[in-house]
């Protein structure tokens, strides 16, 4: 596995940011628990891409759960993961090494709000993937225009967004007033879901599909990380809601997050996962089915 930096950052813990590390942990738990959804999503992409993509670009890869899932799904593809955060890319290196996936994933530390000079070196790309990323950039229209330039003729862009934060709890959790989680979500999910259809077509893409995924997982499907994931999500939501909830709800949330309490989220066996995600599949310029050769050989520096 290789890495390349085009900023003056450095990989590892030197510039460790607590926010990035906490976010990386949340994203990794998300991918573990929602593995059935991720498998369905990449399987759907496999159905839509003939021949299978040889070069994949993961925009705002974070800790690389998407890069890894795509590398598994497309067994001979080269995946380039780009992120502004060295901590995120460090996590990706660790995960890739743990899974024995060190050969086919490259990382590039770059600010995607800036010109994509070095990103172009590995392209054009057969598949560009942007999960929970587009709403982070300064100018999504510009980012999509750059993606359009870097996807091969007939290649695909897959944009995914989490519409709302997941829910886990039953209506009555045994403490406080029923409906606590709904009130927490109402206080924090104040924005409408992202909608990229217009921006995609404005950038030149042809929209192939816009697919909402309505995800409902029981305990068995979600697996052993469910409680950790629910606790991490709840703590994150609470950090945004302390001014918006009544005192009794804040007390109930404190009890839920206190692992010593019998009703705590860490100990519950009545959790499920309920969330919705939307994916847009958009086709790049022209309709050529055959991947073209890279314009220049990729320039990557080994770790
Ligand atoms: C919510 S995370 C999503 C990560 C990953 N795609 C996933 O689905 O797990 C958004 C990521 O975008 C990265 N990011 C935000 N702005 C960026 C920028 N201007 N250039 C590159 N990466 C950026 C962040 O560092 C973070 O890792």
């Amino acid at each position: 596995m290789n890495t390349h930096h085009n900023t003056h950052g450095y990989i590892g813990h030197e510039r460790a940011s607590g926010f990035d590390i906490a976010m990386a942990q949340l994203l990794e738990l998300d991918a573990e628990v929602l593995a059935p959804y991720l498998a369905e999503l990449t399987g759907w992409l496999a159905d839509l891409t003939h021949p299978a993509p040889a070069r994949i670009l993961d925009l705002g890869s974070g800790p690389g759960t998407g890069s890894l899932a795509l590398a598994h799904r497309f067994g001979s593809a080269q995946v380039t993961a780009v992120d502004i955060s060295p901590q995120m890319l460090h996590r990706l290196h660790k995960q890739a090494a743990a899974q024995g996936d060190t050969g086919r994933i490259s990382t590039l530390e770059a600010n995607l709000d800036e010109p994509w000079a070095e990103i172009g070196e590995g392209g054009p790309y057969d598949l560009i993937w942007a999960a929970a990323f587009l709403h982070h950039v300064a100018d999504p229209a510009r980012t999509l225009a750059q993606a359009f330039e870097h996807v091969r003729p007939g290649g695909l862009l897959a944009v995914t967004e989490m519409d709302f934060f997941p829910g886990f709890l039953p209506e009555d959790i045994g403490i406080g007033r029923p409906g606590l989680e709904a009130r927490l979500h109402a206080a924090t999910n104040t924005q409408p879901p992202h909608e990229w259809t217009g921006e995609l077509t404005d950038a030149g893409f042809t929209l192939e599909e816009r697919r909402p995924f309505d995800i409902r997982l029981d305990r068995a499907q979600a697996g052993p990380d469910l409680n950790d994931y629910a606790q991490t999500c709840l703590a994150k939501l609470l950090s945004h809601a302390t001014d918006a909830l009544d005192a009794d709800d804040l007390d109930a949330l404190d009890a839920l997050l206190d692992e010593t309490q019998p009703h705590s989220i860490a100990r519950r066996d009545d959790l499920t996962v309920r969330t919705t995600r939307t994916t847009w599949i958009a086709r790049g310029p022209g309709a050529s089915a055959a991947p073209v050769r890279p314009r220049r050989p990729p320039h990557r520096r080994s770790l």
Side-chain angles (χ1 to χ4, degrees):
M1 183 168 178
N2 301 316
T3 192
H4 180 75
H5 305 271
N6 76 346
T7 68
H8 298 292
Y10 20 72
I11 211 152
H13 300 292
E14 297 93 328
R15 225 173 61 178
S17 128
F19 174 81
D20 279 357
I21 291 167
M23 176 59 77
Q25 285 166 346
L26 176 60
L27 294 168
E28 287 165 359
L29 283 169
D30 182 274
E32 283 292 329
V33 170
L34 299 186
Y37 148 75
L38 201 50
E40 189 180 343
L41 177 53
T42 60
W44 179 48
L45 273 176
D47 291 341
L48 292 171
T49 45
H50 297 288
R55 281 179 298 278
I56 298 174
L57 176 64
D58 183 359
L59 299 176
S61 66
T65 57
S67 296
L68 290 161
L70 291 166
H72 290 167
R73 175 63 67 184
F74 301 109
S76 56
Q78 290 293 326
V79 181
T80 302
V82 186
D83 204 283
I84 198 170
S85 159
Q87 287 78 44
M88 292 288 187
L89 296 176
H90 178 64
R91 302 282 293 211
L92 171 49
H93 276 254
K94 278 177 69 177
Q95 286 295 329
Q99 298 182 23
D101 271 330
T102 49
R104 290 188 294 113
I105 303 177
S106 305
T107 59
L108 185 59
E109 185 191 323
N111 182 351
L112 288 158
D113 287 329
E114 293 174 356
W116 288 19
E118 291 170 84
I119 295 159
E121 292 173 8
Y125 296 93
D126 304 306
L127 172 63
I128 300 182
W129 166 273
F133 164 70
L134 207 48
H135 62 276
H136 284 280
V137 298
D139 183 352
R142 187 179 59 200
T143 302
L144 289 173
Q146 283 170 307
F148 191 72
E149 274 178 32
H150 288 84
V151 71
R152 74 158 170 86
L156 289 184
L157 168 68
V159 173
T160 289
E161 294 286 0
M162 175 166 73
D163 299 333
F164 297 109
F165 237 69
F168 304 95
L169 291 163
E171 169 79 3
D172 186 351
I173 59 170
I175 39 175
R177 276 179 289 143
L180 172 66
E181 192 172 48
R183 289 192 294 282
L184 177 62
H185 281 224
T188 48
N189 283 327
T190 53
Q191 301 296 319
H194 299 284
E195 176 51 66
W196 298 117
T197 304
E199 282 85 349
L200 285 164
T201 49
D202 287 352
F205 286 99
T206 303
L207 185 69
E208 296 262 312
E209 301 226 26
R210 177 188 179 283
R211 179 170 168 189
F213 287 82
D214 190 15
I215 302 164
R216 300 277 181 273
L217 300 178
D218 63 24
R219 178 164 205 88
Q221 292 167 313
D225 290 320
L226 174 56
N227 292 66
D228 267 1
Y229 177 55
Q231 171 137 355
T232 308
C233 286
L234 210 71
K236 184 161 174 59
L237 281 183
L238 177 58
S239 70
H240 293 285
T242 42
D243 295 337
L245 291 175
D246 291 339
D248 64 329
D249 280 347
L250 292 174
D251 287 344
L253 283 163
D254 282 347
L256 268 177
L257 292 170
D258 179 351
E259 295 182 23
T260 65
Q261 299 288 321
H263 290 296
S264 73
I265 208 154
R267 297 178 176 213
R268 303 186 77 96
D269 60 9
D270 58 356
L271 303 180
T272 58
V273 187
R274 304 174 302 276
T275 186
T276 62
R277 312 244 156 142
T278 299
T279 296
W280 292 256
I281 303 289
R283 181 104 26 210
S288 159
V292 295
R293 303 299 307 159
R295 286 187 291 255
R296 282 178 281 163
H299 168 62
R300 295 287 187 275
R301 183 161 64 79
S302 292
L303 261 181

PDB file of all heavy atoms in Angstrom, residues 166-180:
ATOM      1  N   PRO A 166     -28.996   7.404  12.300  1.00  0.00           N
ATOM      2  CA  PRO A 166     -29.753   6.192  12.598  1.00  0.00           C
ATOM      3  C   PRO A 166     -30.458   6.239  13.952  1.00  0.00           C
ATOM      4  O   PRO A 166     -30.017   6.926  14.874  1.00  0.00           O
ATOM      5  CB  PRO A 166     -28.689   5.093  12.608  1.00  0.00           C
ATOM      6  CG  PRO A 166     -27.389   5.740  12.371  1.00  0.00           C
ATOM      7  CD  PRO A 166     -27.563   7.202  12.187  1.00  0.00           C
ATOM      8  N   GLY A 167     -31.551   5.493  14.040  1.00  0.00           N
ATOM      9  CA  GLY A 167     -32.239   5.294  15.310  1.00  0.00           C
ATOM     10  C   GLY A 167     -32.047   3.860  15.774  1.00  0.00           C
ATOM     11  O   GLY A 167     -31.848   2.950  14.959  1.00  0.00           O
ATOM     12  N   PHE A 168     -32.106   3.659  17.079  1.00  0.00           N
ATOM     13  CA  PHE A 168     -31.787   2.336  17.649  1.00  0.00           C
ATOM     14  C   PHE A 168     -32.791   1.861  18.700  1.00  0.00           C
ATOM     15  O   PHE A 168     -32.905   0.668  18.945  1.00  0.00           O
ATOM     16  CB  PHE A 168     -30.416   2.375  18.340  1.00  0.00           C
ATOM     17  CG  PHE A 168     -29.301   2.828  17.449  1.00  0.00           C
ATOM     18  CD1 PHE A 168     -28.889   4.149  17.430  1.00  0.00           C
ATOM     19  CD2 PHE A 168     -28.665   1.916  16.616  1.00  0.00           C
ATOM     20  CE1 PHE A 168     -27.854   4.564  16.604  1.00  0.00           C
ATOM     21  CE2 PHE A 168     -27.628   2.319  15.783  1.00  0.00           C
ATOM     22  CZ  PHE A 168     -27.224   3.648  15.781  1.00  0.00           C
ATOM     23  N   LEU A 169     -33.453   2.812  19.351  1.00  0.00           N
ATOM     24  CA  LEU A 169     -34.163   2.479  20.595  1.00  0.00           C
ATOM     25  C   LEU A 169     -35.647   2.213  20.362  1.00  0.00           C
ATOM     26  O   LEU A 169     -36.241   2.781  19.441  1.00  0.00           O
ATOM     27  CB  LEU A 169     -34.022   3.659  21.574  1.00  0.00           C
ATOM     28  CG  LEU A 169     -32.617   3.886  22.115  1.00  0.00           C
ATOM     29  CD1 LEU A 169     -32.499   5.294  22.705  1.00  0.00           C
ATOM     30  CD2 LEU A 169     -32.291   2.834  23.173  1.00  0.00           C
ATOM     31  N   PRO A 170     -36.264   1.409  21.225  1.00  0.00           N
ATOM     32  CA  PRO A 170     -37.718   1.299  21.179  1.00  0.00           C
ATOM     33  C   PRO A 170     -38.350   2.585  21.714  1.00  0.00           C
ATOM     34  O   PRO A 170     -37.672   3.423  22.323  1.00  0.00           O
ATOM     35  CB  PRO A 170     -38.008   0.104  22.088  1.00  0.00           C
ATOM     36  CG  PRO A 170     -36.843  -0.001  22.991  1.00  0.00           C
ATOM     37  CD  PRO A 170     -35.656   0.573  22.270  1.00  0.00           C
ATOM     38  N   GLU A 171     -39.646   2.710  21.475  1.00  0.00           N
ATOM     39  CA  GLU A 171     -40.385   3.903  21.913  1.00  0.00           C
ATOM     40  C   GLU A 171     -40.253   4.111  23.430  1.00  0.00           C
ATOM     41  O   GLU A 171     -39.956   5.198  23.901  1.00  0.00           O
ATOM     42  CB  GLU A 171     -41.860   3.702  21.502  1.00  0.00           C
ATOM     43  CG  GLU A 171     -42.854   4.670  22.075  1.00  0.00           C
ATOM     44  CD  GLU A 171     -42.847   6.005  21.339  1.00  0.00           C
ATOM     45  OE1 GLU A 171     -42.105   6.138  20.348  1.00  0.00           O
ATOM     46  OE2 GLU A 171     -43.569   6.924  21.797  1.00  0.00           O
ATOM     47  N   ASP A 172     -40.439   3.023  24.167  1.00  0.00           N
ATOM     48  CA  ASP A 172     -40.363   3.117  25.632  1.00  0.00           C
ATOM     49  C   ASP A 172     -39.099   2.397  26.099  1.00  0.00           C
ATOM     50  O   ASP A 172     -38.981   1.176  25.965  1.00  0.00           O
ATOM     51  CB  ASP A 172     -41.609   2.466  26.246  1.00  0.00           C
ATOM     52  CG  ASP A 172     -41.657   2.673  27.759  1.00  0.00           C
ATOM     53  OD1 ASP A 172     -40.650   3.158  28.336  1.00  0.00           O
ATOM     54  OD2 ASP A 172     -42.698   2.352  28.357  1.00  0.00           O
ATOM     55  N   ILE A 173     -38.156   3.143  26.623  1.00  0.00           N
ATOM     56  CA  ILE A 173     -36.866   2.549  26.994  1.00  0.00           C
ATOM     57  C   ILE A 173     -36.778   2.216  28.486  1.00  0.00           C
ATOM     58  O   ILE A 173     -35.716   1.817  28.979  1.00  0.00           O
ATOM     59  CB  ILE A 173     -35.687   3.467  26.593  1.00  0.00           C
ATOM     60  CG1 ILE A 173     -35.813   4.836  27.282  1.00  0.00           C
ATOM     61  CG2 ILE A 173     -35.616   3.607  25.087  1.00  0.00           C
ATOM     62  CD1 ILE A 173     -34.579   5.699  27.120  1.00  0.00           C
ATOM     63  N   GLY A 174     -37.866   2.429  29.184  1.00  0.00           N
ATOM     64  CA  GLY A 174     -37.866   2.064  30.605  1.00  0.00           C
ATOM     65  C   GLY A 174     -37.379   3.164  31.526  1.00  0.00           C
ATOM     66  O   GLY A 174     -37.410   3.004  32.746  1.00  0.00           O
ATOM     67  N   ILE A 175     -36.909   4.247  30.964  1.00  0.00           N
ATOM     68  CA  ILE A 175     -36.553   5.420  31.774  1.00  0.00           C
ATOM     69  C   ILE A 175     -37.074   6.675  31.077  1.00  0.00           C
ATOM     70  O   ILE A 175     -37.112   6.731  29.848  1.00  0.00           O
ATOM     71  CB  ILE A 175     -35.024   5.568  32.001  1.00  0.00           C
ATOM     72  CG1 ILE A 175     -34.247   5.186  30.736  1.00  0.00           C
ATOM     73  CG2 ILE A 175     -34.529   4.812  33.196  1.00  0.00           C
ATOM     74  CD1 ILE A 175     -32.758   5.432  30.847  1.00  0.00           C
ATOM     75  N   GLY A 176     -37.482   7.641  31.872  1.00  0.00           N
ATOM     76  CA  GLY A 176     -37.966   8.900  31.306  1.00  0.00           C
ATOM     77  C   GLY A 176     -39.267   8.723  30.532  1.00  0.00           C
ATOM     78  O   GLY A 176     -39.938   7.701  30.634  1.00  0.00           O
ATOM     79  N   ARG A 177     -39.596   9.761  29.749  1.00  0.00           N
ATOM     80  CA  ARG A 177     -40.838   9.732  28.962  1.00  0.00           C
ATOM     81  C   ARG A 177     -40.633   8.932  27.687  1.00  0.00           C
ATOM     82  O   ARG A 177     -39.560   9.034  27.068  1.00  0.00           O
ATOM     83  CB  ARG A 177     -41.217  11.158  28.551  1.00  0.00           C
ATOM     84  CG  ARG A 177     -41.992  11.941  29.574  1.00  0.00           C
ATOM     85  CD  ARG A 177     -42.263  13.347  29.027  1.00  0.00           C
ATOM     86  NE  ARG A 177     -41.055  14.156  28.968  1.00  0.00           N
ATOM     87  CZ  ARG A 177     -40.780  15.036  27.999  1.00  0.00           C
ATOM     88  NH1 ARG A 177     -41.604  15.205  26.979  1.00  0.00           N
ATOM     89  NH2 ARG A 177     -39.675  15.753  28.028  1.00  0.00           N
ATOM     90  N   PRO A 178     -41.640   8.157  27.232  1.00  0.00           N
ATOM     91  CA  PRO A 178     -41.520   7.470  25.938  1.00  0.00           C
ATOM     92  C   PRO A 178     -41.235   8.478  24.823  1.00  0.00           C
ATOM     93  O   PRO A 178     -41.610   9.655  24.912  1.00  0.00           O
ATOM     94  CB  PRO A 178     -42.896   6.804  25.750  1.00  0.00           C
ATOM     95  CG  PRO A 178     -43.436   6.653  27.136  1.00  0.00           C
ATOM     96  CD  PRO A 178     -42.910   7.825  27.925  1.00  0.00           C
ATOM     97  N   GLY A 179     -40.578   8.018  23.775  1.00  0.00           N
ATOM     98  CA  GLY A 179     -40.336   8.868  22.601  1.00  0.00           C
ATOM     99  C   GLY A 179     -39.069   9.701  22.701  1.00  0.00           C
ATOM    100  O   GLY A 179     -38.870  10.644  21.933  1.00  0.00           O
ATOM    101  N   LEU A 180     -38.160   9.326  23.601  1.00  0.00           N
ATOM    102  CA  LEU A 180     -36.929  10.120  23.801  1.00  0.00           C
ATOM    103  C   LEU A 180     -36.113  10.243  22.508  1.00  0.00           C
ATOM    104  O   LEU A 180     -35.678  11.334  22.138  1.00  0.00           O
ATOM    105  CB  LEU A 180     -36.075   9.451  24.894  1.00  0.00           C
ATOM    106  CG  LEU A 180     -34.684  10.049  25.077  1.00  0.00           C
ATOM    107  CD1 LEU A 180     -34.778  11.474  25.592  1.00  0.00           C
ATOM    108  CD2 LEU A 180     -33.846   9.198  26.038  1.00  0.00           C
TER     109      LEU A 180
END
